[in-house]
Amino acid sequence: MRFLLTDEQREFARSLDGLLAAAGTAAVVRAWAAGDTGPGRSLWSKLADAGVFGLAVPERHGGLGVLPVELAVAFTELGRHAVPGPLVETVAAAAFLDRLGDEGVSAAWLPAIASGGSAVSFALLREDAPYALDAATADGVFAVDGDTVRLAKSAGEVQQSADPARRLARPLGGAVLARGPAVTAAAGHATRVARLVTAAQCLGLGHALLADTVTHVARRTQFGVAVGSFQAVKHQLADVLVALEFAEPLVHSAALALAAGDPAAGREIAAAKLTAGRAAHEAALTALHLHGALGYTDELDLSLWIRKARPLRDAWGTPAACRARVLAGHHCAPVPEGQGA
């Protein structure tokens, strides 16, 4: 099995990196956290034009075909640049609708998702976690409760999150779209997709945190020399790099397994999510430590990246849930997005 990306996939990653670097995503994140979604929706349209959302939509509904590896590549760059919004949830909703088997609902939503015209959210609701990401601003929320899915278009009060750009709210009411085993099966598939692309986000986030920290310790001096020359600092950064390098092939392998319809894909995705989430969290802790007091300040753009690490680590499967999935070898109950608060 081939784990290396193709030249085309690498070029796709470079093009997204260039697009997002030019967009100045730190300002977009701050605006989104303050409730101003205008800059974020403008960037959303550019990502759609680049084909990001079309990677989760079948060609018959205006997409590029369902391509898990390319999705992983795209979401690594989205994580690297800390792009806000219900990115994972929109892709999960597309996966859910594609598997639900209701062509009327699919035709109503999937073309708009592929084109960037609709930013939607998707949530698995439980009594202890009844929230959906960006439910208050999404064009619709596909809320799954047991074997029932509703389309909610209103939401309750936005809740606080460790990451201020993760605006969680309870989806309210909504018409029932479907009930039964098809909903349960489609939700399971959507959860696997959400978990995979969240793992990819963690991977990109971790690499961004590491790169920023390496730059910082090369510039900061103590006792007349760069802090980065200290052996203890080198060891911390090396540990983060090893963790990220170990996670990357797991993410790509999981994407290949999902693309191939491998029955073990769920377990591989859980392993990738566990490993990438842990690496991103380690990168955030190291960045905070080596930046010293600067790392605690809201004024430092790096704080926007640091505050994403733990919520992303926990979203769509906490470490405990993913570990249980890997060890058990069978489907475990997915953890709703609200767990990533």
Side-chain angles (χ1 to χ4, degrees):
M1 184 176 290
R2 181 180 175 85
F3 296 118
L4 295 176
L5 297 178
T6 65
D7 291 341
E8 291 80 6
Q9 289 163 343
R10 289 195 184 95
E11 180 56 36
F12 179 46
R14 284 192 290 270
S15 68
L16 285 179
D17 182 43
L19 184 159
L20 293 169
T25 52
V28 177
V29 174
R30 292 187 187 279
W32 195 278
D36 177 9
T37 60
R41 290 302 292 260
S42 177
L43 181 56
W44 190 282
S45 295
K46 293 178 181 178
L47 292 172
D49 290 342
V52 170
F53 304 112
L55 296 170
V57 176
E59 292 183 51
R60 70 181 185 280
H61 288 300
L64 300 173
V66 180
L67 302 170
V69 177
E70 283 73 12
L71 271 175
V73 169
F75 273 77
T76 299
E77 298 308 314
L78 297 178
R80 192 188 308 275
H81 292 275
V83 180
L87 300 157
V88 170
E89 292 67 31
T90 292
V91 166
F96 174 79
L97 293 174
D98 185 36
R99 287 296 180 92
L100 186 60
D102 187 325
E103 281 298 310
V105 175
S106 293
W109 285 96
L110 288 179
I113 289 174
S115 69
S118 290
V120 300
S121 194
F122 178 80
L124 303 175
L125 303 182
R126 295 189 318 189
E127 186 175 346
D128 60 339
Y131 301 110
L133 187 65
D134 291 306
T137 55
D139 298 310
V141 179
F142 294 91
V144 177
D145 188 355
D147 67 350
T148 301
V149 58
R150 296 176 181 272
L151 177 59
K153 294 190 176 182
S154 62
E157 184 178 351
V158 174
Q159 305 296 305
Q160 280 193 323
S161 170
D163 172 7
R166 292 180 68 81
R167 297 171 58 80
L168 299 160
R170 184 195 301 263
L172 302 176
V176 173
L177 295 180
R179 285 193 176 96
V183 171
T184 304
H189 173 66
T191 298
R192 290 188 287 276
V193 172
R195 191 170 283 176
L196 171 67
V197 295
T198 302
Q201 275 190 314
C202 288
L203 188 62
L205 179 73
H207 277 297
L209 287 164
L210 176 61
D212 194 287
T213 306
V214 168
T215 299
H216 177 73
V217 298
R219 292 174 178 170
R220 182 186 172 195
T221 60
Q222 194 172 47
F223 309 120
V225 298
V227 171
S229 67
F230 299 159
Q231 197 71 12
V233 171
K234 290 180 179 179
H235 283 172
Q236 288 184 70
L237 295 172
D239 287 344
V240 172
L241 178 60
V242 168
L244 291 168
E245 290 293 317
F246 185 71
E248 186 170 3
L250 292 182
V251 172
H252 293 161
S253 175
L256 284 169
L258 184 64
D262 188 335
R267 190 166 27 176
E268 289 202 37
I269 290 168
K273 174 64 167 52
L274 173 65
T275 309
R278 185 166 51 198
H281 192 240
E282 183 179 347
L285 293 177
T286 301
L288 184 62
H289 179 207
L290 295 182
H291 276 79
L294 284 173
Y296 289 93
T297 62
D298 283 338
E299 291 78 12
L300 184 71
D301 285 345
L302 183 72
S303 67
L304 302 174
W305 274 252
I306 288 174
R307 296 177 72 174
K308 288 184 180 298
R310 184 166 180 173
L312 281 179
R313 183 198 70 179
D314 293 347
W316 294 105
T318 62
C322 289
R323 190 176 295 110
R325 175 69 181 91
V326 173
L327 294 175
H330 58 75
H331 183 70
C332 66
V335 177
E337 177 65 15
Q339 291 297 100

